Amino acid sequence: MRADIFCRVVDNFGDIGVTWRLTRQLQSEHGWSIRLWVDALDSFKKLDARVSTAQSIQLIDNIEIVHWTNPAPDLVPRPVVIASFSCELPPAFQARMIPGNTLWINLEYLSAEAWVEGCHGLPSLRSDGLHSNFFFPGFTSQTGGLIKESSLIEVRDAWQANPDRQFQWIKSLGVPSDGLQAWRSGRLISAFCYPQAPLSAFCKHLANESISTLLLIPEGIASDIPRGQQGNLHVARIPFTTQPEYDQTLWTADLNIVRGEDSFVRALWAAKPSIWHIYPQTEETHLVKLDAWLARAALPAPVQSCIRNWNLEHASAASSNAFAQILEPASLTAWTLAAKEIAADLAKNQDLACSLDLFCRTKGSL
Ligand code: TRH
């Protein structure tokens, strides 16, 4: 059960975030022996402090991590080769891959668009005799599914049934006592979004609401938002935590603002209301992906329109009225119920690691 997984960090944390989570699961739950190639060890280190930026090969959680330099280390390809987010493989490495012996998988971006089902698992033939296979994560049983560790739902439920643990966790993030008080008498929101987000308008609205809010923002995100008390809003800056710890924050908050790919999926698993700030692309192609998700998600109409407005280039359309409507207690309750149903429905699908494992076994490469 031997595989090479390649991850090129294009920007931010999603490329390595998705790849690292999936790699760990393939190793721990399916017994794969993995060599993980990563070009930007400094980005990787931000997600997992155990990573050394100085070592060309290192072992973490029984996974061999190779620093993907240029030129790449000269290693013999393993029977399964996965290109995360369809990154290009090192040419010399690819030249050593043998048609019929190497199972090459291009793991694609997540999308809720309908065409994904038709393309998932298809081979892409090449003139050199090799072929890659399209592997699409997704929201239906006709796709590869989403990353979900086998114990995730159980661990989440135990966490959500334990208010003391939740309180101690949020406190341990360095939130001052007046911030904790704002949460105790009101609600908790976490925000991890891109700079274009209408977060200032949202904060202005929260400051004027009758219910108090503790808003958690990781360091380095929306640096223009001042920390501390403004009206009925308390903003606390929190450290960038590990992935399992970030899950705990998402499970605890009443509403999560998330972005990209991985934090979005983790917010879905939190079964709490969430606003998705999708990764912006040129010519607003991301809005097609967003609409495909919104069409699939049974969310209340005001929530759908608020999420869409949040993602518009001129997000000032996200007005105070719209925020008031989605945060009104009855709306928030309906939104929470919808989020629970969405998470429960998605959990019925086979998860991405299981799908990949099955695909490789069926193709006879493991
Ligand atoms: O960081 P992102 O915006 O990443 C990306 C990239 O831009 C990428 O190029 C693009 O293709 C992709 O989005 C769609 O958002 P994402 O995907 O949510 O990744 C963030 C990762 O950081 C995720 O694994 C969760 C993790 N994280 C922590 O581990 N701790 C934290 O405290 C926070 C806030 C996030």
Side-chain angles (χ1 to χ4, degrees):
M1 303 192 184
R2 297 165 57 248
D4 283 298
I5 300 183
F6 285 84
C7 174
R8 190 173 287 291
V9 176
V10 177
D11 60 3
N12 304 330
F13 305 102
D15 310 284
I16 186 60
V18 167
T19 313
W20 185 224
R21 222 187 263 287
L22 182 65
T23 301
R24 287 205 310 273
Q25 197 189 346
L26 286 168
Q27 193 284 325
S28 62
E29 294 184 18
H30 299 279
W32 284 31
S33 163
I34 301 176
R35 204 161 51 185
L36 172 63
W37 301 61
V38 183
D39 64 342
L41 292 179
D42 48 344
S43 300
F44 193 178
K45 192 173 179 58
K46 289 199 183 117
L47 275 193
D48 197 316
R50 293 171 298 172
V51 172
S52 155
T53 51
Q55 280 176 276
S56 49
I57 295 194
Q58 55 196 298
L59 194 70
I60 298 180
D61 288 346
N62 292 320
I63 292 158
E64 203 181 323
I65 294 159
V66 178
H67 187 195
W68 180 5
T69 47
N70 187 14
D74 185 21
L75 299 170
V76 179
R78 293 184 167 185
V80 175
V81 174
I82 299 179
S84 206
F85 294 98
S86 283
C87 63
E88 273 186 36
L89 300 175
F93 180 91
Q94 191 175 309
R96 295 180 76 168
M97 287 162 50
I98 302 168
N101 279 10
T102 314
L103 179 61
W104 178 4
I105 295 171
N106 273 328
L107 183 63
E108 301 290 339
Y109 287 83
L110 175 65
S111 176
E113 291 162 282
W115 60 264
V116 163
E117 292 187 342
C119 295
H120 173 61
L122 288 186
S124 168
L125 305 178
R126 300 163 44 92
S127 56
D128 59 7
L130 285 167
H131 73 267
S132 58
N133 297 272
F134 293 110
F135 211 89
F136 281 89
F139 301 94
T140 70
S141 59
Q142 306 302 308
T143 67
L146 300 171
I147 296 180
K148 179 174 79 60
E149 300 77 14
S150 58
S151 61
L152 176 67
I153 303 298
E154 203 183 314
V155 177
R156 177 204 67 192
D157 287 348
W159 180 271
Q160 290 182 339
N162 193 333
D164 284 346
R165 252 178 110 192
Q166 296 175 31
F167 183 78
Q168 291 310 327
W169 167 243
I170 300 300
K171 193 174 167 199
S172 77
L173 293 171
V175 176
S177 53
D178 43 350
L180 294 170
Q181 188 47 44
W183 170 31
R184 287 224 133 152
S185 53
R187 62 189 163 216
L188 179 66
I189 300 181
S190 83
F192 177 50
C193 49
Y194 297 113
Q196 310 85 324
L199 199 58
S200 295
F202 188 55
C203 285
K204 210 168 144 198
H205 173 80
L206 292 173
N208 291 320
E209 278 229 313
S210 57
I211 298 174
S212 63
T213 302
L214 168 60
L215 176 66
L216 304 176
I217 311 180
E219 291 296 350
I221 303 298
S223 311
D224 55 319
I225 307 278
R227 70 177 74 212
Q229 200 74 29
Q230 304 140 47
N232 238 345
L233 168 68
H234 187 102
V235 176
R237 291 277 161 187
I238 56 168
F240 197 90
T241 58
T242 64
Q243 287 181 319
E245 289 169 339
Y246 182 53
D247 278 345
Q248 293 176 176
T249 305
L250 295 173
W251 299 340
T252 305
D254 301 296
L255 164 65
N256 294 300
I257 298 165
V258 284
R259 72 184 204 186
E261 189 163 308
D262 192 56
S263 55
F264 165 57
V265 172
R266 303 313 282 192
L268 293 178
W269 293 135
K272 294 288 189 75
S274 59
I275 292 177
W276 183 20
H277 197 183
I278 193 167
Y279 185 69
Q281 289 173 282
T282 50
E283 294 173 13
E284 305 216 313
T285 41
H286 55 288
L287 292 181
V288 175
K289 283 173 84 170
L290 179 70
D291 286 343
W293 160 248
L294 290 175
R296 241 173 236 293
L299 289 167
V303 169
Q304 299 236 1
S305 95
C306 188
I307 294 176
R308 201 164 195 288
N309 285 337
W310 189 275
N311 283 283
L312 295 180
E313 199 183 337
H314 302 292
S316 51
S319 70
S320 196
N321 272 353
F323 293 138
Q325 216 178 347
I326 59 163
L327 292 173
E328 193 260 315
S331 302
L332 209 49
T333 306
W335 192 1
T336 307
L337 280 176
K340 276 190 203 304
E341 275 175 31
I342 289 171
D345 277 350
L346 290 173
K348 291 176 194 152
N349 295 335
Q350 183 164 265
D351 71 77
L352 188 61
C354 273
S355 304
L356 267 170
D357 185 63
L358 189 68
F359 185 79
C360 293
R361 286 179 194 285
T362 310
K363 297 273 175 187
S365 290
L366 287 182

